[in-house]
């Protein structure tokens, strides 16, 4: 499968999680369903996690990285999905799908405020556009819809923090991060959900929740990683950005939800805003300090100068490696 097909399939699967979750919420509380979805994500990435352990790709993380992983588990695997499902229960799945674009904008802004990452004029214009669209999508549906949008916005903020924490963990791959978030947060949320309310769904519904988590979170992550290894981070992120729009289309088609004018207007604005964020680039002189970590990379990117016998520079691969200090400039 080509990298483009993998990225688009990953986006389609992730986008499908919102309408599927809306349907499953008829038989489970947000805590219970969040637990099932993320336990499913752990199942979906379990094979990749086991393979990485066998290959020795995982290393001891240390206290700082362990705290980062803990924050990612609590916010990205625990709080974020519960808040999303609380908002989804009170709103249309199509609106919630479109509002998930707030995660991209929140990630960009946090990168500037928290980690001093630069964001060009196009990026700021895109962030502003996403914020405006977040106010347009709920339309005139009333107070409940606005409250639901706020829940979704807080969930996106949790995932934005999770994105930055996960990106700064040395010694753990995205598949491993998803596995731990799914296993720990999924077990915790499901246990809390069952303690607070009896499970009203059937065994088939529970299996459905696990399957949705395995496909829409676990398999989606695996496909996105594979696409990024072929296409690079920027192109794969641009393709994956269609996920919220795919979710909205599936909500209208599969769930039979009405297509509101506010959703269409907000969707058009979101397309332009997301494109501006993804296309935002800059170039300046910068210095990379010495670091050891594991991630997918290739040897023609100007950052990875270690050698492999018999491996072409353009081949994507992943292993533990060391970066010497480096000063350069590139887009």
């Amino acid at each position: 499968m080509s990298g483009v097909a993998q990225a688009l399939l990953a986006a389609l699967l992730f986008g499908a999680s919102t309408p599927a979750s809306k349907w499953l919420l008829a038989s489970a509380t947000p805590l219970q369903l969040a637990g099932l979805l993320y336990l499913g994500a752990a199942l979906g990435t379990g094979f990749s996690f086991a393979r990485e352990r066998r290959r020795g790709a995982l290393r001891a993380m240390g206290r700082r990285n362990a705290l980062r992983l803990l924050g990612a588990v609590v916010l990205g695997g625990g709080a974020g999905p519960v808040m999303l499902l609380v908002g989804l229960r009170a709103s249309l799945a199509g609106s919630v799908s479109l509002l998930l674009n707030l995660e991209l904008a929140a990630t960009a802004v946090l990168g500037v405020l928290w980690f001093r990452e630069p964001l060009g004029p196009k990026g700021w214009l895109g962030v502003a556009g996403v914020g405006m669209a977040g106010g347009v999508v709920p339309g005139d549906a009333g107070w409940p819809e606005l409250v639901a949008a706020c829940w979704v916005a807080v969930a996106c903020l949790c995932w934005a923090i999770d994105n930055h924490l996960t990106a700064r963990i040395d010694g753990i791959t995205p598949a491993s991060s998803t596995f731990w978030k799914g296993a720990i947060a999924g077990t915790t949320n499901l246990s809390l959900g069952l303690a607070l309310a009896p499970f009203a769904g059937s065994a088939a519904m529970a299996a459905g929740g696990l399957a949705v988590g395995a496909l829409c979170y676990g398999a989606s992550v695996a496909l996105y990683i594979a696409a990024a290894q072929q296409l690079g981070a920027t192109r794969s992120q641009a393709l994956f950005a269609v996920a919220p729009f795919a979710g909205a289309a599936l909500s209208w088609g599969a769930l039979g939800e009405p297509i509101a004018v506010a959703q269409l207007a907000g969707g058009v604005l979101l397309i332009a805003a997301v494109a501006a964020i993804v296309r935002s680039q800059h170039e300046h002189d910068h210095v990379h300090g010495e670091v050891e970590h594991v991630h997918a990379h290739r040897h023609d990117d100007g950052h990875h100068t270690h050698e492999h016998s018999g491996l072409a520079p353009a081949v994507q691969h992943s292993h533990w490696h060391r970066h010497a200090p480096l000063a350069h400039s590139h887009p």
Side-chain angles (χ1 to χ4, degrees), residues 62 68 84 108 119 134 140 185 210 216 237 245 263 308:
R68 289 170 177 160
L84 172 71
L119 185 65
D140 57 356
L210 292 172
C216 299
Q237 180 61 49
F245 306 101
Q263 290 177 337
H308 292 290

Side-chain angles (χ1 to χ4, degrees), residues 290-301:
E290 182 177 351
V291 65
E292 293 186 29
H293 59 182
V294 57
H295 69 135
H297 62 280
R298 49 196 290 174
H299 290 190
D300 59 356
D301 60 4

Side-chain angles (χ1 to χ4, degrees), residues 154-236:
V154 176
C156 289
L157 178 60
C158 289
W159 283 321
I161 299 173
D162 170 26
N163 291 338
H164 284 290
L165 290 174
T166 302
R168 283 160 176 80
I169 299 174
D170 294 330
I172 190 169
T173 62
S176 300
S177 171
T178 303
F179 174 83
W180 286 117
K181 278 188 285 189
I184 299 173
T187 300
T188 301
N189 280 339
L190 182 58
S191 299
L192 288 173
L194 294 175
L196 293 173
F199 185 69
S202 63
M205 178 270 160
L210 292 172
V212 169
L215 291 172
C216 299
Y217 294 119
S220 177
V221 167
L223 285 166
Y224 177 78
I225 295 169
Q229 289 175 346
Q230 291 190 46
L231 304 174
T234 301
R235 290 181 65 197
S236 56

Side-chain angles (χ1 to χ4, degrees), residues 19-44:
S21 297
K22 179 69 174 181
W23 180 71
L24 290 168
L25 276 171
S27 304
T29 68
L31 268 172
Q32 292 169 352
L33 182 55
L36 289 171
L37 291 174
Y38 272 71
L39 282 175
L43 293 175

Side-chain angles (χ1 to χ4, degrees), residues 22-73:
K22 179 69 174 181
W23 180 71
L24 290 168
L25 276 171
S27 304
T29 68
L31 268 172
Q32 292 169 352
L33 182 55
L36 289 171
L37 291 174
Y38 272 71
L39 282 175
L43 293 175
T45 52
F47 175 76
S48 297
F49 176 75
R51 183 174 56 183
E52 289 166 359
R53 286 179 63 90
R54 288 196 302 269
R55 291 179 175 177
L58 307 179
R59 302 289 181 92
M61 290 185 294
R63 182 174 180 273
R64 178 175 295 181
N65 286 323
L67 289 174
R68 289 170 177 160
L69 179 59
L70 177 61
V73 169

